[in-house]
Amino acid sequence: MSRKQKTPADLIEMCRVKPGKKLSLAEHDPGWAGDRDLPKAKRKAIAQQLLADGVAALAESQELLYAADTWSLLVIFQAMDAAGKDSTIKHVMSGVNPQGCQVFSFKHPSAEDLDHNFLWRCMKSLPERGRIGIFNRSYYEEVLIVKVHPQLIEAQRLPVGKPDTRFWQGRYDDINAFEHHLARNGTAIVKFFLNVSPAEQRERFLDRLRDPEKHWKYSAKDLDERQYWDQYMQAYEECIAATSTDWAPWYVVPADRKWVTRALVAEVLVATIRDLKLRWPEPAPAEREAIEAARRQLEAEAAGQQPA
């Protein structure tokens, strides 16, 4: 890394996956933690300040998003287990008004879900104008875990044979078309892959197993899925490369240091809303007259006078 301090724009560009480019996750260091010429304590302090500034800016941006009522923001988090999705959402969105934000976690599909197309259950949870919607996992599971475990396709009872290259490309095409439709109709989309290393995942699993208060976070399935690490990385590379677009970009965010992850996610979200170029609503002439009359009345009351 250069000795020159990276700007927030540099950091965002570092993580963004350019459309049409082949992705190699080996080129994205999950342990990246800033300029190594600086002491770790200094780097951590810088990241924490970026996060604090980002949380404050995001709170202001969310208020403008709500007031403008022309756009919504869909934020998608995908990652391997223990990459820090929950804690990132908790810290980055800590300053946002709960009335303007909603979080959905998508687990194993229900029988009703399986009776519909693979986008259906997420479509029901899309944010309305003025709100931020967060998907903790999403329809991307249908080209990730389902691709690693293709036997899951059988439960969907699709009129297709064995899933092949054309099948998966069809799903990527469906996702791109769906997200393009959303973007054209006022939903900005930003997607994060929290890139954790297998070594760091192992330490976080051990932390859960050693601490009785964290046992509730552990599932035997976690270790089972860890065995498929290489297959998952290949699925992520293919998926992200195929679905990172100008209207719905992917960001590969280093996740071995949570303070890095949170700061970067906050920076991307603030920049995404800023790029919408939102404006505060302006009242019509009649509304301005009513506002002025109300102001005069209340100021007269405050001064102990009778309104004219």
Side-chain angles (χ1 to χ4, degrees):
M1 177 176 172
S2 168
R3 290 178 180 272
K4 181 181 178 182
Q5 185 68 37
K6 285 186 180 291
T7 66
D10 293 332
L11 296 173
I12 291 172
E13 187 63 23
M14 176 186 76
C15 297
R16 183 166 180 155
V17 178
K18 293 180 175 58
K21 300 292 184 180
K22 185 176 181 180
L23 173 66
S24 172
L25 289 174
E27 297 175 0
H28 291 261
D29 180 9
W32 184 89
D35 190 343
R36 296 190 181 277
D37 290 338
L38 297 176
K40 180 180 177 181
K42 177 67 173 178
R43 286 181 278 144
K44 189 171 183 178
I46 291 173
Q48 289 173 334
Q49 186 59 55
L50 280 174
L51 175 60
D53 294 344
V55 168
L58 188 58
E60 295 178 4
S61 299
Q62 183 267 331
E63 185 176 3
L64 175 56
L65 180 75
Y66 188 84
D69 198 30
T70 52
W71 283 87
S72 60
L73 175 63
L74 174 61
V75 185
I76 294 175
F77 286 93
Q78 293 287 159
M80 297 294 285
D81 294 319
K85 298 188 304 301
D86 292 339
S87 65
T88 298
I89 293 169
K90 174 182 176 181
H91 284 81
V92 173
M93 308 305 293
S94 60
V96 170
N97 186 337
Q99 295 184 90
C101 181
Q102 52 202 31
V103 181
F104 294 93
S105 295
F106 294 96
K107 307 296 185 182
H108 191 278
S110 68
E112 182 183 22
D113 295 332
L114 292 171
D115 274 337
H116 292 80
N117 70 75
F118 75 95
L119 294 167
W120 180 77
R121 64 172 178 159
C122 294
M123 292 170 65
K124 297 188 301 177
S125 302
L126 290 169
E128 59 266 37
R129 300 189 197 285
R131 293 172 68 92
I132 298 174
I134 299 174
F135 286 179
N136 185 343
R137 302 192 187 278
S138 66
Y139 43 84
Y140 279 99
E141 293 293 282
E142 295 292 335
V143 290
L144 293 168
I145 186 172
V146 175
K147 193 171 188 179
V148 173
H149 301 287
Q151 66 273 20
L152 295 174
I153 291 290
E154 296 177 7
Q156 299 180 14
R157 301 185 300 280
L158 299 175
V160 296
K162 184 178 180 180
D164 55 14
T165 301
R166 291 179 59 189
F167 174 84
W168 299 115
Q169 185 59 52
R171 288 206 161 180
Y172 298 146
D173 292 343
D174 290 341
I175 288 171
N176 286 336
F178 173 61
E179 292 177 343
H180 205 178
H181 166 74
L182 294 180
R184 284 196 299 261
N185 286 275
T187 296
I189 305 165
V190 59
K191 302 172 293 195
F192 296 102
F193 171 58
L194 304 191
N195 186 26
V196 71
S197 68
E200 180 62 22
Q201 187 198 58
R202 180 184 63 240
E203 292 306 308
R204 292 180 186 179
F205 282 167
L206 284 171
D207 183 53
R208 294 176 181 182
L209 293 169
R210 290 166 177 161
D211 186 347
E213 293 185 0
K214 295 182 179 180
H215 284 176
W216 65 273
K217 293 184 176 182
Y218 176 73
S219 167
K221 184 181 177 183
D222 294 342
L223 282 185
D224 292 339
E225 292 303 293
R226 183 176 164 82
Q227 299 175 45
Y228 298 94
W229 188 276
D230 291 344
Q231 292 95 315
Y232 272 110
M233 293 303 101
Q234 182 178 348
Y236 269 110
E237 287 178 347
E238 294 171 355
C239 162
I240 293 172
T243 60
S244 192
T245 58
D246 290 330
W247 57 86
W250 274 103
Y251 294 86
V252 177
V253 180
D256 279 7
R257 302 293 176 265
K258 292 184 178 181
W259 43 274
V260 172
T261 309
R262 296 163 185 169
L264 289 173
V265 168
E267 285 294 329
V268 172
L269 292 180
V270 171
T272 299
I273 297 179
R274 183 177 60 240
D275 289 347
L276 297 178
K277 295 180 172 54
L278 300 171
R279 295 179 180 274
W280 294 101
E282 294 186 6
E287 293 173 320
R288 282 198 292 268
E289 292 176 7
I291 290 171
E292 181 63 20
R295 182 188 63 78
R296 290 197 302 267
Q297 178 179 339
L298 291 174
E299 288 177 347
E301 289 180 7
Q305 302 172 0
Q306 293 296 321

